[in-house]
Amino acid sequence: KLSADYAFLTRGNKYSMVVDKNNKIISVPKLNNKPIDAMGAGDIFHAMASITSTISKDAFLNLFLPQISGAHAVEIVGNLDYPKIREIFKTFNFYKSSISF
């Protein structure tokens, strides 16, 4: 109904999900079991989802990279810094060998 390719939803410390325009739902569980400060994690998730959605049509990838970004964001106290792209891709490559796209 929104005429968008994807709709994203974060469920805080539970999971995140994406719904594509065909109503297919994909979810990814939380990736960080020891958050320090969750303030702003949803913001970085949605910022990354906006970026990935403009360069990729892979719904899982468009969900997974933002989920990794949020997992890194909860390790930063008081938004004094931001998740670094090299760390996000390092984590992505760690998981990449055990999942298929």
Side-chain angles (χ1 to χ4, degrees), residues 11-12 36 55 59 61 75 90:
R11 293 286 311 211
I36 297 170
I55 59 175
L61 182 65
E75 297 173 344
K90 182 178 175 181

Side-chain angles (χ1 to χ4, degrees), residues 2 4-9 17-20:
L2 297 175
D5 290 336
Y6 305 105
F8 294 91
L9 174 69
M17 62 187 282
V18 62
V19 181
D20 69 15

Side-chain angles (χ1 to χ4, degrees), residues 14 18 39 48 55 62 82-83:
K14 296 177 178 55
V18 62
M39 183 65 70
M48 181 63 91
I55 59 175
N62 293 339
Y82 56 91

Side-chain angles (χ1 to χ4, degrees), residues 83-101:
K84 304 295 190 263
I85 196 70
R86 68 181 169 275
E87 293 300 319
I88 293 167
F89 282 123
K90 182 178 175 181
T91 303
F92 174 77
N93 287 326
F94 172 79
Y95 283 109
K96 187 176 163 182
S97 63
S98 64
I99 58 175
S100 59
F101 292 95

Side-chain angles (χ1 to χ4, degrees), residues 37 39 76-81:
D37 185 354
M39 183 65 70
I76 301 168
V77 177
N79 293 316
L80 295 175
D81 203 357

Side-chain angles (χ1 to χ4, degrees), residues 30-63:
K30 67 181 179 179
L31 300 176
N32 190 322
N33 290 324
K34 296 181 181 178
I36 297 170
D37 185 354
M39 183 65 70
D43 296 336
I44 192 72
F45 173 93
H46 288 288
M48 181 63 91
S50 295
I51 294 167
T52 59
S53 296
T54 62
I55 59 175
S56 173
K57 294 298 179 189
D58 186 311
F60 179 76
L61 182 65
N62 293 339
L63 176 63

